[in-house]
Amino acid sequence: MTGSLIIAGLGPGDAALVTPEVSAALACATDVVGYAPYVARVPAREGLTLHPSDNRMELQRAGEALKLAAEGRNVVIVSSGDPGVFAMAAAVFEALEASPQRQNLSIRVLPGITAMLAAAARAGAPLGHDFCAINLSDNLKPWLTIEKRLRLAAEADFAIALYNPRSASRPDGFARALEVLKEAGCGERMIIFAHSVTTPKERIEILPLQEARADMADMATLVIVGNSATRRVGRWVYAPRRAS
Ligand code: SAH
């Protein structure tokens, strides 16, 4: 039996941003595993079994995908954006560490366009100089670690991409994150709220951080905080290529 597991990213939403490599993998798959809204983006066809699962089931989902591949299936496990960015690739390798007998399986990771890059492209070039990305979810790390990383990123003058800014189960964290950034002297920096980028619901808002309200973000929003030199040119925002 020669099963395989491909860990693929479906991009931020627009079908045109699924890479040809990922489309080819999906065309050869016998099974697609993933969080239900992402599996719903894969067209059904004969011979393809879809395995949608709930949110926060990453480890079980990864284990199921490895098991199917070990049984000889051609499995694609899907994430939105890029599978290595706050997504399934790390969960699969975590599951693999716990199942050494599966380590000889054929496993490949196929990159996708992550939300931060799609959002940056809409705004101009806010990630044109040094930047970092922080996941604001405290499901898997203490909130104090998030605050520390925000403060140090501000001090280092990185542009900062914020994933998972706010959800129904975490309504207050983003307001606190904005406070931390203001306390760290980022009030006059530009902040970009990129909502549902590359989908019909896309909305982009750009304003000074001190005027931002927490309710401008939800789970479908990618937030970018500019660095101290980030500026506007016409309707665009960009980070100059030089820093002092
Ligand atoms: N692997 C994904 C990220 C998963 S974490 C990637 O590489 O993009 C989920 C978070 O990604 C969301 O809370 C949001 O912050 C961001 N996100 C995903 N798709 C998005 C989109 N189309 N527009 C804006 N933000 C998006």
Side-chain angles (χ1 to χ4, degrees), residues 2 13-15 22 37 46 56 63 68 77 84 86 99 108 116 122 127 143 145 148 205 208 211 218 220 236:
T2 53
D14 186 346
V22 168
E46 214 177 287
R56 295 205 198 175
L68 286 166
I77 188 164
F86 310 131
S99 301
R108 284 201 307 148
M116 139 184 111
R122 286 297 193 258
L127 305 180
W143 177 257
T145 300
K148 179 178 175 189
E205 282 177 281
E211 292 170 21
D218 61 15
W236 303 102

Side-chain angles (χ1 to χ4, degrees), residues 10-14 17-18 41 80-82 112-115 118-119 196-199:
L10 296 176
D14 186 346
L17 297 184
V18 179
R41 285 168 55 187
S80 73
D82 180 274
I113 295 176
T114 187
S196 295
V197 175
T198 81
T199 80

Side-chain angles (χ1 to χ4, degrees), residues 30-168:
T30 58
D31 297 80
V32 170
V33 174
Y35 177 39
Y38 307 149
V39 172
R41 285 168 55 187
V42 177
R45 63 172 161 77
E46 214 177 287
L48 176 65
T49 308
L50 301 175
H51 304 262
S53 51
D54 282 345
N55 205 359
R56 295 205 198 175
M57 305 268 297
E58 290 91 353
L59 261 194
Q60 289 101 304
R61 194 185 294 144
E64 181 192 2
L66 284 166
K67 179 168 171 285
L68 286 166
E71 288 167 5
R73 316 280 297 175
N74 292 323
V75 184
V76 178
I77 188 164
V78 290
S79 292
S80 73
D82 180 274
V85 178
F86 310 131
M88 283 309 299
V92 169
F93 292 118
E94 203 177 314
L96 199 59
E97 261 190 316
S99 301
Q101 76 281 12
R102 304 249 149 97
Q103 285 173 11
N104 290 329
L105 276 173
S106 159
I107 298 179
R108 284 201 307 148
V109 185
L110 308 185
I113 295 176
T114 187
M116 139 184 111
L117 300 185
R122 286 297 193 258
L127 305 180
H129 199 71
D130 299 345
F131 66 88
C132 65
I134 300 177
N135 183 351
L136 285 192
S137 167
D138 60 354
N139 289 340
L140 299 173
K141 65 186 164 191
W143 177 257
L144 285 181
T145 300
I146 296 175
E147 287 200 7
K148 179 178 175 189
R149 288 182 183 171
L150 286 169
R151 271 194 297 271
L152 292 175
E155 184 187 335
D157 203 10
F158 285 121
I160 310 168
L162 299 173
Y163 284 77
N164 290 309
R166 195 159 165 264
S167 73

